């Protein structure tokens, strides 16, 4: 994997910024249903996921042979009362983890990129797979943010009287 190959990974921050630009606090914390995530909760999850993949990458590079950890995303989001947090803080953490990982990536050689570990499902994954999977994961959540914004707009349209 080369520096240009990690560009989609690095671009995820700006994509997230664009997705939430101009949203009010009400829009960021609005939930379509109690079990649904708000935009802030999605951003919290992505910061959490970035922490987890950062650990997984370093565990692979260290040659650890135990299964890479999974995490219960819903429990993490609810347990930390994510919707009471600030979306901007989550974006800052997400951005800093991207930067921190990018510094590591610059030090890796081709052999390092192909090092593997066993994920929680029992599949063998390389560092390259993890980065590509993370980028795809963020893109899925960008679509989720768009759906939340559309649902908010639909739920908050003024009613038209039929007189």
């Amino acid at each position: 994997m080369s520096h240009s190959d990690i560009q989609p990974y690095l671009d995820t921050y700006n994509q997230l910024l664009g997705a939430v630009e101009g949203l009010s606090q009400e829009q960021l914390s609005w939930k379509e249903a109690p079990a649904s995530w708000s935009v802030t909760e999605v951003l919290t999850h992505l910061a959490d996921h970035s922490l987890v993949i950062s650990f997984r990458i370093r565990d692979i590079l260290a040659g650890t042979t135990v299964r890479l950890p999974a995490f219960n995303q819903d429990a993490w989001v609810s347990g930390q009362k994510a919707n009471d947090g600030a979306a901007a803080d989550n974006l800052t953490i997400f951005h800093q983890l991207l930067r921190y990982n990018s510094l590591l990536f610059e030090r890796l050689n081709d052999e390092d990129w192909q090092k593997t570990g066993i994920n929680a499902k029992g599949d063998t994954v390389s560092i390259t797979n993890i980065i590509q999977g993370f980028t795809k994961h963020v893109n899925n959540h960008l679509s989720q943010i768009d759906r939340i914004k559309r649902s908010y707009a639909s739920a908050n349209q003024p009613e038209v009287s039929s007189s």
Side-chain angles (χ1 to χ4, degrees):
M1 190 166 224
S2 70
H3 192 280
S4 63
D5 294 331
I6 65 165
Q7 196 58 48
Y9 168 80
L10 298 174
D11 290 342
T12 57
Y13 171 70
N14 286 329
Q15 291 172 308
L16 288 169
L17 275 181
V20 302
E21 184 177 5
L23 295 182
S24 67
Q25 181 57 44
E26 178 183 338
Q27 291 168 305
L28 289 166
S29 61
W30 180 83
K31 296 168 67 133
E32 186 170 19
S36 299
W37 280 358
S38 68
V39 172
T40 296
E41 289 170 326
V42 171
L43 295 174
T44 300
H45 164 67
L46 290 173
D48 290 345
H49 194 234
S50 190
L51 282 167
V52 171
I53 69 137
S54 297
F55 177 87
R56 291 174 184 163
I57 290 165
R58 284 156 180 81
D59 220 31
I60 289 171
L61 290 170
T64 304
T65 58
V66 298
R67 282 199 179 188
L68 300 170
F71 71 110
N72 183 330
Q73 62 186 26
D74 291 318
W76 279 38
V77 166
S78 65
Q80 61 186 300
K81 298 172 182 46
N83 212 30
D84 295 335
D89 291 340
N90 293 319
L91 285 167
T92 298
I93 292 163
F94 183 89
H95 187 229
Q96 292 306 317
L97 286 166
L98 283 181
R99 286 186 27 70
Y100 182 58
N101 286 335
S102 73
L103 296 172
L104 168 62
F105 298 159
E106 290 174 8
R107 297 189 300 267
L108 301 182
N109 59 36
D110 290 341
E111 183 181 310
D112 292 327
W113 282 105
Q114 296 312 311
K115 288 183 178 180
T116 61
I118 306 298
N119 69 16
K121 297 176 187 174
D123 301 327
T124 299
V125 293
S126 68
I127 293 174
T128 300
N129 299 142
I130 290 172
I131 296 306
Q132 292 169 339
F134 179 79
T135 303
K136 182 178 177 184
H137 186 80
V138 172
N139 285 319
N140 289 338
H141 284 294
L142 283 163
S143 295
Q144 181 184 17
I145 290 170
D146 285 339
R147 286 190 304 275
I148 295 167
K149 291 179 349 186
R150 286 193 307 273
S151 292
Y152 175 86
S154 178
N156 290 284
Q157 285 186 351
E159 298 213 11
V160 178
S161 66
S162 55
S163 42

mmCIF file with all atom_site columns, all heavy atoms in Angstrom, residues 136-152:
data_model
loop_
_atom_site.group_PDB
_atom_site.id
_atom_site.type_symbol
_atom_site.label_atom_id
_atom_site.label_alt_id
_atom_site.label_comp_id
_atom_site.label_asym_id
_atom_site.label_entity_id
_atom_site.label_seq_id
_atom_site.pdbx_PDB_ins_code
_atom_site.Cartn_x
_atom_site.Cartn_y
_atom_site.Cartn_z
_atom_site.occupancy
_atom_site.B_iso_or_equiv
_atom_site.pdbx_formal_charge
_atom_site.auth_seq_id
_atom_site.auth_comp_id
_atom_site.auth_asym_id
_atom_site.auth_atom_id
_atom_site.pdbx_PDB_model_num
ATOM 1   N N   . LYS A 1 136 ? -14.453 2.099  4.022  1.00 0.00 ? 136 LYS A N   1
ATOM 2   C CA  . LYS A 1 136 ? -15.787 1.675  3.581  1.00 0.00 ? 136 LYS A CA  1
ATOM 3   C C   . LYS A 1 136 ? -16.795 1.875  4.716  1.00 0.00 ? 136 LYS A C   1
ATOM 4   O O   . LYS A 1 136 ? -17.919 2.320  4.478  1.00 0.00 ? 136 LYS A O   1
ATOM 5   C CB  . LYS A 1 136 ? -15.741 0.214  3.144  1.00 0.00 ? 136 LYS A CB  1
ATOM 6   C CG  . LYS A 1 136 ? -17.050 -0.303 2.617  1.00 0.00 ? 136 LYS A CG  1
ATOM 7   C CD  . LYS A 1 136 ? -16.932 -1.747 2.155  1.00 0.00 ? 136 LYS A CD  1
ATOM 8   C CE  . LYS A 1 136 ? -18.293 -2.242 1.698  1.00 0.00 ? 136 LYS A CE  1
ATOM 9   N NZ  . LYS A 1 136 ? -18.266 -3.645 1.322  1.00 0.00 ? 136 LYS A NZ  1
ATOM 10  N N   . HIS A 1 137 ? -16.387 1.551  5.926  1.00 0.00 ? 137 HIS A N   1
ATOM 11  C CA  . HIS A 1 137 ? -17.248 1.705  7.107  1.00 0.00 ? 137 HIS A CA  1
ATOM 12  C C   . HIS A 1 137 ? -17.661 3.173  7.289  1.00 0.00 ? 137 HIS A C   1
ATOM 13  O O   . HIS A 1 137 ? -18.837 3.474  7.532  1.00 0.00 ? 137 HIS A O   1
ATOM 14  C CB  . HIS A 1 137 ? -16.497 1.188  8.336  1.00 0.00 ? 137 HIS A CB  1
ATOM 15  C CG  . HIS A 1 137 ? -17.296 1.158  9.580  1.00 0.00 ? 137 HIS A CG  1
ATOM 16  N ND1 . HIS A 1 137 ? -18.196 0.164  9.871  1.00 0.00 ? 137 HIS A ND1 1
ATOM 17  C CD2 . HIS A 1 137 ? -17.327 2.011  10.633 1.00 0.00 ? 137 HIS A CD2 1
ATOM 18  C CE1 . HIS A 1 137 ? -18.751 0.394  11.047 1.00 0.00 ? 137 HIS A CE1 1
ATOM 19  N NE2 . HIS A 1 137 ? -18.242 1.515  11.536 1.00 0.00 ? 137 HIS A NE2 1
ATOM 20  N N   . VAL A 1 138 ? -16.711 4.084  7.159  1.00 0.00 ? 138 VAL A N   1
ATOM 21  C CA  . VAL A 1 138 ? -17.018 5.515  7.288  1.00 0.00 ? 138 VAL A CA  1
ATOM 22  C C   . VAL A 1 138 ? -18.004 5.927  6.191  1.00 0.00 ? 138 VAL A C   1
ATOM 23  O O   . VAL A 1 138 ? -18.959 6.653  6.457  1.00 0.00 ? 138 VAL A O   1
ATOM 24  C CB  . VAL A 1 138 ? -15.741 6.379  7.242  1.00 0.00 ? 138 VAL A CB  1
ATOM 25  C CG1 . VAL A 1 138 ? -16.091 7.869  7.180  1.00 0.00 ? 138 VAL A CG1 1
ATOM 26  C CG2 . VAL A 1 138 ? -14.852 6.101  8.451  1.00 0.00 ? 138 VAL A CG2 1
ATOM 27  N N   . ASN A 1 139 ? -17.777 5.442  4.974  1.00 0.00 ? 139 ASN A N   1
ATOM 28  C CA  . ASN A 1 139 ? -18.685 5.783  3.873  1.00 0.00 ? 139 ASN A CA  1
ATOM 29  C C   . ASN A 1 139 ? -20.111 5.296  4.146  1.00 0.00 ? 139 ASN A C   1
ATOM 30  O O   . ASN A 1 139 ? -21.082 5.993  3.829  1.00 0.00 ? 139 ASN A O   1
ATOM 31  C CB  . ASN A 1 139 ? -18.156 5.254  2.546  1.00 0.00 ? 139 ASN A CB  1
ATOM 32  C CG  . ASN A 1 139 ? -16.990 6.085  2.049  1.00 0.00 ? 139 ASN A CG  1
ATOM 33  O OD1 . ASN A 1 139 ? -17.001 7.302  2.134  1.00 0.00 ? 139 ASN A OD1 1
ATOM 34  N ND2 . ASN A 1 139 ? -15.973 5.424  1.539  1.00 0.00 ? 139 ASN A ND2 1
ATOM 35  N N   . ASN A 1 140 ? -20.247 4.117  4.751  1.00 0.00 ? 140 ASN A N   1
ATOM 36  C CA  . ASN A 1 140 ? -21.574 3.628  5.125  1.00 0.00 ? 140 ASN A CA  1
ATOM 37  C C   . ASN A 1 140 ? -22.228 4.572  6.135  1.00 0.00 ? 140 ASN A C   1
ATOM 38  O O   . ASN A 1 140 ? -23.421 4.859  6.055  1.00 0.00 ? 140 ASN A O   1
ATOM 39  C CB  . ASN A 1 140 ? -21.495 2.216  5.711  1.00 0.00 ? 140 ASN A CB  1
ATOM 40  C CG  . ASN A 1 140 ? -21.160 1.172  4.675  1.00 0.00 ? 140 ASN A CG  1
ATOM 41  O OD1 . ASN A 1 140 ? -21.362 1.362  3.486  1.00 0.00 ? 140 ASN A OD1 1
ATOM 42  N ND2 . ASN A 1 140 ? -20.625 0.057  5.137  1.00 0.00 ? 140 ASN A ND2 1
ATOM 43  N N   . HIS A 1 141 ? -21.439 5.064  7.079  1.00 0.00 ? 141 HIS A N   1
ATOM 44  C CA  . HIS A 1 141 ? -21.988 5.973  8.084  1.00 0.00 ? 141 HIS A CA  1
ATOM 45  C C   . HIS A 1 141 ? -22.250 7.375  7.521  1.00 0.00 ? 141 HIS A C   1
ATOM 46  O O   . HIS A 1 141 ? -23.129 8.084  8.016  1.00 0.00 ? 141 HIS A O   1
ATOM 47  C CB  . HIS A 1 141 ? -21.103 6.021  9.320  1.00 0.00 ? 141 HIS A CB  1
ATOM 48  C CG  . HIS A 1 141 ? -21.264 4.799  10.175 1.00 0.00 ? 141 HIS A CG  1
ATOM 49  N ND1 . HIS A 1 141 ? -22.442 4.499  10.827 1.00 0.00 ? 141 HIS A ND1 1
ATOM 50  C CD2 . HIS A 1 141 ? -20.413 3.791  10.476 1.00 0.00 ? 141 HIS A CD2 1
ATOM 51  C CE1 . HIS A 1 141 ? -22.312 3.364  11.489 1.00 0.00 ? 141 HIS A CE1 1
ATOM 52  N NE2 . HIS A 1 141 ? -21.079 2.913  11.289 1.00 0.00 ? 141 HIS A NE2 1
ATOM 53  N N   . LEU A 1 142 ? -21.525 7.765  6.485  1.00 0.00 ? 142 LEU A N   1
ATOM 54  C CA  . LEU A 1 142 ? -21.850 9.017  5.805  1.00 0.00 ? 142 LEU A CA  1
ATOM 55  C C   . LEU A 1 142 ? -23.251 8.927  5.195  1.00 0.00 ? 142 LEU A C   1
ATOM 56  O O   . LEU A 1 142 ? -24.029 9.880  5.261  1.00 0.00 ? 142 LEU A O   1
ATOM 57  C CB  . LEU A 1 142 ? -20.809 9.341  4.734  1.00 0.00 ? 142 LEU A CB  1
ATOM 58  C CG  . LEU A 1 142 ? -19.484 9.892  5.254  1.00 0.00 ? 142 LEU A CG  1
ATOM 59  C CD1 . LEU A 1 142 ? -18.407 9.786  4.184  1.00 0.00 ? 142 LEU A CD1 1
ATOM 60  C CD2 . LEU A 1 142 ? -19.651 11.333 5.714  1.00 0.00 ? 142 LEU A CD2 1
ATOM 61  N N   . SER A 1 143 ? -23.561 7.778  4.638  1.00 0.00 ? 143 SER A N   1
ATOM 62  C CA  . SER A 1 143 ? -24.912 7.557  4.108  1.00 0.00 ? 143 SER A CA  1
ATOM 63  C C   . SER A 1 143 ? -25.937 7.597  5.234  1.00 0.00 ? 143 SER A C   1
ATOM 64  O O   . SER A 1 143 ? -27.041 8.136  5.070  1.00 0.00 ? 143 SER A O   1
ATOM 65  C CB  . SER A 1 143 ? -24.994 6.212  3.381  1.00 0.00 ? 143 SER A CB  1
ATOM 66  O OG  . SER A 1 143 ? -24.171 6.219  2.245  1.00 0.00 ? 143 SER A OG  1
ATOM 67  N N   . GLN A 1 144 ? -25.586 7.039  6.383  1.00 0.00 ? 144 GLN A N   1
ATOM 68  C CA  . GLN A 1 144 ? -26.479 7.074  7.541  1.00 0.00 ? 144 GLN A CA  1
ATOM 69  C C   . GLN A 1 144 ? -26.725 8.520  7.983  1.00 0.00 ? 144 GLN A C   1
ATOM 70  O O   . GLN A 1 144 ? -27.859 8.897  8.293  1.00 0.00 ? 144 GLN A O   1
ATOM 71  C CB  . GLN A 1 144 ? -25.891 6.254  8.693  1.00 0.00 ? 144 GLN A CB  1
ATOM 72  C CG  . GLN A 1 144 ? -26.763 6.215  9.926  1.00 0.00 ? 144 GLN A CG  1
ATOM 73  C CD  . GLN A 1 144 ? -26.106 5.464  11.083 1.00 0.00 ? 144 GLN A CD  1
ATOM 74  O OE1 . GLN A 1 144 ? -24.892 5.232  11.091 1.00 0.00 ? 144 GLN A OE1 1
ATOM 75  N NE2 . GLN A 1 144 ? -26.910 5.095  12.057 1.00 0.00 ? 144 GLN A NE2 1
ATOM 76  N N   . ILE A 1 145 ? -25.687 9.327  8.012  1.00 0.00 ? 145 ILE A N   1
ATOM 77  C CA  . ILE A 1 145 ? -25.840 10.737 8.387  1.00 0.00 ? 145 ILE A CA  1
ATOM 78  C C   . ILE A 1 145 ? -26.784 11.433 7.408  1.00 0.00 ? 145 ILE A C   1
ATOM 79  O O   . ILE A 1 145 ? -27.654 12.204 7.821  1.00 0.00 ? 145 ILE A O   1
ATOM 80  C CB  . ILE A 1 145 ? -24.466 11.449 8.460  1.00 0.00 ? 145 ILE A CB  1
ATOM 81  C CG1 . ILE A 1 145 ? -23.670 10.929 9.673  1.00 0.00 ? 145 ILE A CG1 1
ATOM 82  C CG2 . ILE A 1 145 ? -24.629 12.971 8.519  1.00 0.00 ? 145 ILE A CG2 1
ATOM 83  C CD1 . ILE A 1 145 ? -22.217 11.371 9.714  1.00 0.00 ? 145 ILE A CD1 1
ATOM 84  N N   . ASP A 1 146 ? -26.643 11.161 6.134  1.00 0.00 ? 146 ASP A N   1
ATOM 85  C CA  . ASP A 1 146 ? -27.553 11.747 5.137  1.00 0.00 ? 146 ASP A CA  1
ATOM 86  C C   . ASP A 1 146 ? -29.000 11.325 5.397  1.00 0.00 ? 146 ASP A C   1
ATOM 87  O O   . ASP A 1 146 ? -29.914 12.144 5.299  1.00 0.00 ? 146 ASP A O   1
ATOM 88  C CB  . ASP A 1 146 ? -27.139 11.364 3.718  1.00 0.00 ? 146 ASP A CB  1
ATOM 89  C CG  . ASP A 1 146 ? -25.917 12.125 3.234  1.00 0.00 ? 146 ASP A CG  1
ATOM 90  O OD1 . ASP A 1 146 ? -25.609 13.203 3.795  1.00 0.00 ? 146 ASP A OD1 1
ATOM 91  O OD2 . ASP A 1 146 ? -25.268 11.645 2.283  1.00 0.00 ? 146 ASP A OD2 1
ATOM 92  N N   . ARG A 1 147 ? -29.209 10.062 5.740  1.00 0.00 ? 147 ARG A N   1
ATOM 93  C CA  . ARG A 1 147 ? -30.567 9.581  6.042  1.00 0.00 ? 147 ARG A CA  1
ATOM 94  C C   . ARG A 1 147 ? -31.129 10.289 7.278  1.00 0.00 ? 147 ARG A C   1
ATOM 95  O O   . ARG A 1 147 ? -32.301 10.673 7.304  1.00 0.00 ? 147 ARG A O   1
ATOM 96  C CB  . ARG A 1 147 ? -30.579 8.063  6.251  1.00 0.00 ? 147 ARG A CB  1
ATOM 97  C CG  . ARG A 1 147 ? -30.430 7.261  4.962  1.00 0.00 ? 147 ARG A CG  1
ATOM 98  C CD  . ARG A 1 147 ? -30.683 5.780  5.179  1.00 0.00 ? 147 ARG A CD  1
ATOM 99  N NE  . ARG A 1 147 ? -29.849 5.155  6.199  1.00 0.00 ? 147 ARG A NE  1
ATOM 100 C CZ  . ARG A 1 147 ? -28.628 4.674  5.991  1.00 0.00 ? 147 ARG A CZ  1
ATOM 101 N NH1 . ARG A 1 147 ? -28.077 4.735  4.796  1.00 0.00 ? 147 ARG A NH1 1
ATOM 102 N NH2 . ARG A 1 147 ? -27.951 4.117  6.982  1.00 0.00 ? 147 ARG A NH2 1
ATOM 103 N N   . ILE A 1 148 ? -30.300 10.468 8.292  1.00 0.00 ? 148 ILE A N   1
ATOM 104 C CA  . ILE A 1 148 ? -30.740 11.159 9.514  1.00 0.00 ? 148 ILE A CA  1
ATOM 105 C C   . ILE A 1 148 ? -31.131 12.596 9.170  1.00 0.00 ? 148 ILE A C   1
ATOM 106 O O   . ILE A 1 148 ? -32.171 13.092 9.634  1.00 0.00 ? 148 ILE A O   1
ATOM 107 C CB  . ILE A 1 148 ? -29.647 11.130 10.607 1.00 0.00 ? 148 ILE A CB  1
ATOM 108 C CG1 . ILE A 1 148 ? -29.388 9.693  11.078 1.00 0.00 ? 148 ILE A CG1 1
ATOM 109 C CG2 . ILE A 1 148 ? -30.030 12.033 11.782 1.00 0.00 ? 148 ILE A CG2 1
ATOM 110 C CD1 . ILE A 1 148 ? -28.124 9.534  11.915 1.00 0.00 ? 148 ILE A CD1 1
ATOM 111 N N   . LYS A 1 149 ? -30.332 13.276 8.378  1.00 0.00 ? 149 LYS A N   1
ATOM 112 C CA  . LYS A 1 149 ? -30.629 14.661 8.003  1.00 0.00 ? 149 LYS A CA  1
ATOM 113 C C   . LYS A 1 149 ? -31.945 14.739 7.218  1.00 0.00 ? 149 LYS A C   1
ATOM 114 O O   . LYS A 1 149 ? -32.762 15.641 7.470  1.00 0.00 ? 149 LYS A O   1
ATOM 115 C CB  . LYS A 1 149 ? -29.473 15.257 7.190  1.00 0.00 ? 149 LYS A CB  1
ATOM 116 C CG  . LYS A 1 149 ? -28.230 15.479 8.018  1.00 0.00 ? 149 LYS A CG  1
ATOM 117 C CD  . LYS A 1 149 ? -27.010 16.046 7.335  1.00 0.00 ? 149 LYS A CD  1
ATOM 118 C CE  . LYS A 1 149 ? -26.900 16.164 5.899  1.00 0.00 ? 149 LYS A CE  1
ATOM 119 N NZ  . LYS A 1 149 ? -25.571 16.608 5.422  1.00 0.00 ? 149 LYS A NZ  1
ATOM 120 N N   . ARG A 1 150 ? -32.167 13.817 6.314  1.00 0.00 ? 150 ARG A N   1
ATOM 121 C CA  . ARG A 1 150 ? -33.420 13.802 5.545  1.00 0.00 ? 150 ARG A CA  1
ATOM 122 C C   . ARG A 1 150 ? -34.614 13.523 6.463  1.00 0.00 ? 150 ARG A C   1
ATOM 123 O O   . ARG A 1 150 ? -35.664 14.160 6.337  1.00 0.00 ? 150 ARG A O   1
ATOM 124 C CB  . ARG A 1 150 ? -33.359 12.780 4.412  1.00 0.00 ? 150 ARG A CB  1
ATOM 125 C CG  . ARG A 1 150 ? -32.496 13.214 3.241  1.00 0.00 ? 150 ARG A CG  1
ATOM 126 C CD  . ARG A 1 150 ? -32.697 12.339 2.013  1.00 0.00 ? 150 ARG A CD  1
ATOM 127 N NE  . ARG A 1 150 ? -32.537 10.915 2.259  1.00 0.00 ? 150 ARG A NE  1
ATOM 128 C CZ  . ARG A 1 150 ? -31.388 10.248 2.206  1.00 0.00 ? 150 ARG A CZ  1
ATOM 129 N NH1 . ARG A 1 150 ? -30.273 10.892 1.907  1.00 0.00 ? 150 ARG A NH1 1
ATOM 130 N NH2 . ARG A 1 150 ? -31.341 8.962  2.439  1.00 0.00 ? 150 ARG A NH2 1
ATOM 131 N N   . SER A 1 151 ? -34.447 12.586 7.370  1.00 0.00 ? 151 SER A N   1
ATOM 132 C CA  . SER A 1 151 ? -35.536 12.259 8.310  1.00 0.00 ? 151 SER A CA  1
ATOM 133 C C   . SER A 1 151 ? -35.852 13.453 9.202  1.00 0.00 ? 151 SER A C   1
ATOM 134 O O   . SER A 1 151 ? -37.016 13.738 9.485  1.00 0.00 ? 151 SER A O   1
ATOM 135 C CB  . SER A 1 151 ? -35.170 11.052 9.175  1.00 0.00 ? 151 SER A CB  1
ATOM 136 O OG  . SER A 1 151 ? -35.108 9.893  8.391  1.00 0.00 ? 151 SER A OG  1
ATOM 137 N N   . TYR A 1 152 ? -34.810 14.130 9.662  1.00 0.00 ? 152 TYR A N   1
ATOM 138 C CA  . TYR A 1 152 ? -35.020 15.330 10.488 1.00 0.00 ? 152 TYR A CA  1
ATOM 139 C C   . TYR A 1 152 ? -35.805 16.375 9.705  1.00 0.00 ? 152 TYR A C   1
ATOM 140 O O   . TYR A 1 152 ? -36.776 16.948 10.210 1.00 0.00 ? 152 TYR A O   1
ATOM 141 C CB  . TYR A 1 152 ? -33.681 15.912 10.947 1.00 0.00 ? 152 TYR A CB  1
ATOM 142 C CG  . TYR A 1 152 ? -33.831 17.213 11.701 1.00 0.00 ? 152 TYR A CG  1
ATOM 143 C CD1 . TYR A 1 152 ? -34.081 17.215 13.061 1.00 0.00 ? 152 TYR A CD1 1
ATOM 144 C CD2 . TYR A 1 152 ? -33.765 18.441 11.030 1.00 0.00 ? 152 TYR A CD2 1
ATOM 145 C CE1 . TYR A 1 152 ? -34.245 18.406 13.757 1.00 0.00 ? 152 TYR A CE1 1
ATOM 146 C CE2 . TYR A 1 152 ? -33.940 19.629 11.712 1.00 0.00 ? 152 TYR A CE2 1
ATOM 147 C CZ  . TYR A 1 152 ? -34.176 19.613 13.075 1.00 0.00 ? 152 TYR A CZ  1
ATOM 148 O OH  . TYR A 1 152 ? -34.355 20.776 13.757 1.00 0.00 ? 152 TYR A OH  1
#
